[in-house]
Amino acid sequence: MRPDTPAAHTTEAERLLRTAARYPEDHEPLLLQAAAHLELAGDRVRATTLYDELLSAPGTEHPHLVKALNAANLWEYGHEAEARAIIDGIRAAGPLEARPWEIAAETLEAHDELESAHDYFSTALTLLIAPGEEVPYATQSLLTGRHRVRRLMGVRHDAWDELADALHTAAVPLDELHDPKRLWALGSSDPGELRAEITRLRAELGTYRTALSRPFPVAVLHWPEAELNELLTAYPGLGSEYDSHPDHLARLETALRDLHAAGTPNLGIVTGTVPSYEAFAASEAASPADPNLLPQYATTLAARGRAVPWPPARSAACWCGTGRSYRDCHGGVL
């Protein structure tokens, strides 16, 4: 059950902080979750302390995401100038991941900075969407956010709005969900208008429930060649799961393509290491030689924020670690 009181959120934050101390390799995603619960508990100052701790720590994997979350939090308790400076800094840095852009743009939108939010969404999409390539799952929310802001601004649809409409799968179209006149319907005494609004809200709620039911990607487990060799040397019984490293990589790509073809969104790849796997097995009081533990390990890594979205852009480095582009490696096979 999700926490729904300030005290429950504080308790959950403390639990996550204890977990982070036990699993330093997952320190960053666990502290981000703890900070989110502290914000919901109303303890925004302490949340900022966690964000600052992450930003000052060496090796933070997603500094721009941390900065965006910190900016959103700071603005909420009166530090607007500092938040704006951080948001400007994210834009100047141009990170190649969608979440920092989305959070910063939504922060501007939440404070009625519609022109700035629109510009922020547009800049992000120009940077992250390559012409002719499939829109990554994580980037689709930028299209949706930009569509919403443009509806609030009262401007006409453009090509990106049409793409957002095409990617939207809910029964109620985006134009209805993002219609500014919906606010008027909430104060209407017309039964027809109220029924229509209830239908739209149900569609919106269904979309949110789908997202909440899978807050992390459907992830497959990837072993680098050296790690796979070490794993099979230590636990030869797992050899039935892996014929060879090239076969392992080919099977992963095939599985991801099959899931994608079946309509599964939010796909990702998590990379395993033998020490991490053995620690996970110990925490589950299970044997690392048990093949049934492998999918549980993958799910746990994904839940801790270790998944890399799939597919990468064709021109991006391939997920398998060869250093070649995805187009020239696994993107052009099978």
Side-chain angles (χ1 to χ4, degrees):
M1 181 179 295
R2 293 177 179 274
D4 58 2
T5 65
H9 282 295
T10 300
T11 299
E12 180 64 9
E14 297 294 351
R15 185 192 68 81
L16 288 163
L17 291 172
R18 290 193 298 272
T19 304
R22 290 175 56 202
Y23 299 99
E25 69 276 13
D26 295 325
H27 183 76
E28 182 175 335
L30 291 169
L31 257 63
L32 288 179
Q33 292 179 49
H37 281 289
L38 290 173
E39 288 188 41
L40 291 169
D43 195 351
R44 293 189 174 276
V45 174
R46 191 176 174 203
T48 292
T49 300
L50 290 185
Y51 293 134
D52 289 340
E53 178 182 333
L54 282 169
L55 290 171
S56 62
T60 297
E61 293 184 20
H62 302 286
H64 299 298
L65 173 60
V66 178
K67 289 177 181 179
L69 291 167
N70 194 25
N73 182 52
L74 285 166
W75 202 325
E76 288 299 322
Y77 73 104
H79 296 268
E80 177 182 339
E82 187 176 353
R84 285 182 182 276
I86 293 172
I87 289 171
D88 289 343
I90 293 170
R91 176 170 181 159
L96 297 178
E97 53 183 326
R99 284 292 287 154
W101 291 99
E102 180 184 5
I103 292 165
E106 288 183 346
T107 300
L108 292 166
E109 179 189 354
H111 293 278
D112 295 324
E113 303 275 350
L114 295 183
E115 291 283 353
S116 296
H118 175 265
D119 188 49
Y120 218 91
F121 276 124
S122 300
T123 301
L125 289 168
T126 301
L127 182 67
L128 298 178
I129 295 182
E133 290 193 350
E134 184 174 354
V135 180
Y137 179 84
T139 308
Q140 292 178 18
S141 58
L142 292 173
L143 285 166
T144 302
R146 182 177 180 273
H147 183 287
R148 180 180 61 248
V149 168
R150 287 171 64 82
R151 285 287 278 148
L152 291 171
M153 294 170 63
V155 296
R156 298 183 63 180
H157 272 27
D158 62 7
W160 273 336
D161 289 324
E162 292 170 1
L163 181 57
D165 287 332
L167 293 172
H168 181 67
T169 57
V172 178
L174 278 183
D175 276 348
E176 287 191 44
L177 291 178
H178 295 164
D179 186 354
K181 295 180 181 178
R182 288 179 63 189
L183 296 176
W184 302 349
L186 294 177
S188 172
S189 59
D190 184 332
E193 289 184 356
L194 291 174
R195 280 195 295 269
E197 180 59 20
I198 289 170
T199 299
R200 288 190 289 260
L201 288 171
R202 282 176 174 166
E204 206 164 10
L205 181 60
T207 301
Y208 287 138
R209 280 177 172 165
T210 298
L212 288 171
S213 70
R214 188 167 56 247
F216 45 84
V218 174
V220 298
L221 179 59
H222 163 233
W223 294 98
E225 186 170 12
E227 294 291 339
L228 183 61
N229 291 337
E230 182 180 345
L231 179 75
L232 296 181
T233 298
Y235 309 103
L238 294 178
S240 60
E241 302 293 316
Y242 306 105
D243 293 336
S244 66
H245 191 254
D247 178 71
H248 167 55
L249 298 183
R251 285 189 180 191
L252 291 189
E253 182 72 18
T254 300
L256 288 163
R257 292 190 184 195
D258 288 347
L259 287 167
H260 182 67
T264 305
N266 201 16
L267 298 171
I269 298 171
V270 292
T271 298
T273 67
V274 174
S276 170
Y277 177 60
E278 290 175 335
F280 172 73
S283 71
E284 295 292 310
S287 168
D290 182 359
N292 294 321
L293 201 63
L294 294 168
Q296 298 176 42
Y297 175 54
T299 300
T300 300
L301 291 179
R304 293 177 182 169
R306 313 304 294 183
V308 175
W310 182 95
R314 292 281 182 177
S315 58
C318 189
W319 57 265
C320 70
T322 60
R324 299 164 61 194
S325 71
Y326 178 61
R327 177 191 293 110
D328 296 333
C329 195
H330 285 88
V333 300
L334 301 179

